[in-house]
PDB file of all heavy atoms in Angstrom:
ATOM      1  N   ARG A 127      57.399 145.616  49.507  1.00 97.00           N
ATOM      2  CA  ARG A 127      58.390 146.692  49.517  1.00 97.00           C
ATOM      3  C   ARG A 127      59.793 146.086  49.461  1.00 97.00           C
ATOM      4  O   ARG A 127      60.095 145.158  50.224  1.00 97.00           O
ATOM      5  CB  ARG A 127      58.234 147.524  50.787  1.00 97.00           C
ATOM      6  CG  ARG A 127      56.823 148.092  50.931  1.00 97.00           C
ATOM      7  CD  ARG A 127      56.619 148.758  52.249  1.00 97.00           C
ATOM      8  NE  ARG A 127      56.711 147.794  53.348  1.00 97.00           N
ATOM      9  CZ  ARG A 127      56.198 147.977  54.553  1.00 97.00           C
ATOM     10  NH1 ARG A 127      55.550 149.091  54.829  1.00 97.00           N
ATOM     11  NH2 ARG A 127      56.324 147.071  55.504  1.00 97.00           N
ATOM     12  N   PRO A 128      60.666 146.600  48.599  1.00 97.00           N
ATOM     13  CA  PRO A 128      62.034 146.074  48.504  1.00 97.00           C
ATOM     14  C   PRO A 128      62.792 146.250  49.820  1.00 97.00           C
ATOM     15  O   PRO A 128      62.635 147.262  50.504  1.00 97.00           O
ATOM     16  CB  PRO A 128      62.683 146.910  47.405  1.00 97.00           C
ATOM     17  CG  PRO A 128      61.570 147.569  46.683  1.00 97.00           C
ATOM     18  CD  PRO A 128      60.432 147.681  47.651  1.00 97.00           C
ATOM     19  N   GLU A 129      63.590 145.253  50.165  1.00 98.00           N
ATOM     20  CA  GLU A 129      64.417 145.272  51.375  1.00 98.00           C
ATOM     21  C   GLU A 129      65.812 144.783  51.011  1.00 98.00           C
ATOM     22  O   GLU A 129      66.020 144.186  49.962  1.00 98.00           O
ATOM     23  CB  GLU A 129      63.828 144.353  52.454  1.00 98.00           C
ATOM     24  CG  GLU A 129      62.449 144.731  52.926  1.00 98.00           C
ATOM     25  CD  GLU A 129      62.432 145.903  53.878  1.00 98.00           C
ATOM     26  OE1 GLU A 129      63.504 146.352  54.320  1.00 98.00           O
ATOM     27  OE2 GLU A 129      61.310 146.375  54.209  1.00 98.00           O
ATOM     28  N   ASP A 130      66.764 145.041  51.893  1.00 97.00           N
ATOM     29  CA  ASP A 130      68.118 144.486  51.750  1.00 97.00           C
ATOM     30  C   ASP A 130      68.136 143.145  52.464  1.00 97.00           C
ATOM     31  O   ASP A 130      67.811 143.068  53.646  1.00 97.00           O
ATOM     32  CB  ASP A 130      69.170 145.406  52.370  1.00 97.00           C
ATOM     33  CG  ASP A 130      69.323 146.706  51.600  1.00 97.00           C
ATOM     34  OD1 ASP A 130      69.197 146.661  50.358  1.00 97.00           O
ATOM     35  OD2 ASP A 130      69.565 147.743  52.232  1.00 97.00           O
ATOM     36  N   GLY A 131      68.484 142.087  51.721  1.00 98.00           N
ATOM     37  CA  GLY A 131      68.548 140.754  52.301  1.00 98.00           C
ATOM     38  C   GLY A 131      69.970 140.209  52.305  1.00 98.00           C
ATOM     39  O   GLY A 131      70.875 140.859  51.775  1.00 98.00           O
ATOM     40  N   PRO A 132      70.165 139.026  52.844  1.00 98.00           N
ATOM     41  CA  PRO A 132      71.505 138.470  52.974  1.00 98.00           C
ATOM     42  C   PRO A 132      72.061 137.813  51.717  1.00 98.00           C
ATOM     43  O   PRO A 132      73.272 137.626  51.609  1.00 98.00           O
ATOM     44  CB  PRO A 132      71.348 137.430  54.088  1.00 98.00           C
ATOM     45  CG  PRO A 132      69.938 136.971  53.947  1.00 98.00           C
ATOM     46  CD  PRO A 132      69.166 138.197  53.525  1.00 98.00           C
ATOM     47  N   TRP A 133      71.177 137.468  50.760  1.00 98.00           N
ATOM     48  CA  TRP A 133      71.638 136.718  49.584  1.00 98.00           C
ATOM     49  C   TRP A 133      71.320 137.490  48.307  1.00 98.00           C
ATOM     50  O   TRP A 133      70.274 138.128  48.186  1.00 98.00           O
ATOM     51  CB  TRP A 133      70.940 135.369  49.503  1.00 98.00           C
ATOM     52  CG  TRP A 133      71.019 134.555  50.756  1.00 98.00           C
ATOM     53  CD1 TRP A 133      72.155 134.156  51.413  1.00 98.00           C
ATOM     54  CD2 TRP A 133      69.927 134.056  51.530  1.00 98.00           C
ATOM     55  NE1 TRP A 133      71.833 133.425  52.517  1.00 98.00           N
ATOM     56  CE2 TRP A 133      70.465 133.339  52.625  1.00 98.00           C
ATOM     57  CE3 TRP A 133      68.545 134.115  51.408  1.00 98.00           C
ATOM     58  CZ2 TRP A 133      69.676 132.694  53.573  1.00 98.00           C
ATOM     59  CZ3 TRP A 133      67.744 133.464  52.352  1.00 98.00           C
ATOM     60  CH2 TRP A 133      68.314 132.775  53.415  1.00 98.00           C
ATOM     61  N   PRO A 134      72.211 137.412  47.305  1.00 98.00           N
ATOM     62  CA  PRO A 134      71.907 138.027  46.012  1.00 98.00           C
ATOM     63  C   PRO A 134      70.749 137.269  45.349  1.00 98.00           C
ATOM     64  O   PRO A 134      70.788 136.049  45.255  1.00 98.00           O
ATOM     65  CB  PRO A 134      73.185 137.871  45.198  1.00 98.00           C
ATOM     66  CG  PRO A 134      74.237 137.400  46.149  1.00 98.00           C
ATOM     67  CD  PRO A 134      73.558 136.834  47.342  1.00 98.00           C
ATOM     68  N   PRO A 135      69.712 137.975  44.917  1.00 98.00           N
ATOM     69  CA  PRO A 135      68.584 137.275  44.273  1.00 98.00           C
ATOM     70  C   PRO A 135      68.984 136.734  42.905  1.00 98.00           C
ATOM     71  O   PRO A 135      69.836 137.301  42.227  1.00 98.00           O
ATOM     72  CB  PRO A 135      67.514 138.348  44.144  1.00 98.00           C
ATOM     73  CG  PRO A 135      68.208 139.658  44.306  1.00 98.00           C
ATOM     74  CD  PRO A 135      69.469 139.401  45.059  1.00 98.00           C
ATOM     75  N   THR A 136      68.354 135.617  42.524  1.00 98.00           N
ATOM     76  CA  THR A 136      68.639 135.004  41.232  1.00 98.00           C
ATOM     77  C   THR A 136      67.415 134.989  40.323  1.00 98.00           C
ATOM     78  O   THR A 136      67.503 134.587  39.171  1.00 98.00           O
ATOM     79  CB  THR A 136      69.125 133.561  41.400  1.00 98.00           C
ATOM     80  OG1 THR A 136      68.072 132.776  42.000  1.00 98.00           O
ATOM     81  CG2 THR A 136      70.388 133.494  42.237  1.00 98.00           C
ATOM     82  N   VAL A 137      66.250 135.394  40.850  1.00 94.00           N
ATOM     83  CA  VAL A 137      65.012 135.376  40.061  1.00 94.00           C
ATOM     84  C   VAL A 137      64.700 136.785  39.596  1.00 94.00           C
ATOM     85  O   VAL A 137      65.055 137.762  40.231  1.00 94.00           O
ATOM     86  CB  VAL A 137      63.832 134.789  40.871  1.00 94.00           C
ATOM     87  CG1 VAL A 137      64.069 133.317  41.145  1.00 94.00           C
ATOM     88  CG2 VAL A 137      63.601 135.546  42.152  1.00 94.00           C
ATOM     89  N   GLY A 138      64.007 136.866  38.448  1.00 75.00           N
ATOM     90  CA  GLY A 138      63.673 138.157  37.849  1.00 75.00           C
ATOM     91  C   GLY A 138      62.636 138.862  38.581  1.00 75.00           C
ATOM     92  O   GLY A 138      62.416 139.955  38.802  1.00 75.00           O
TER      93      GLY A 138
END
Side-chain angles (χ1 to χ4, degrees):
R127 303 173 295 201
E129 299 283 352
D130 292 325
W133 308 303
T136 63
V137 293

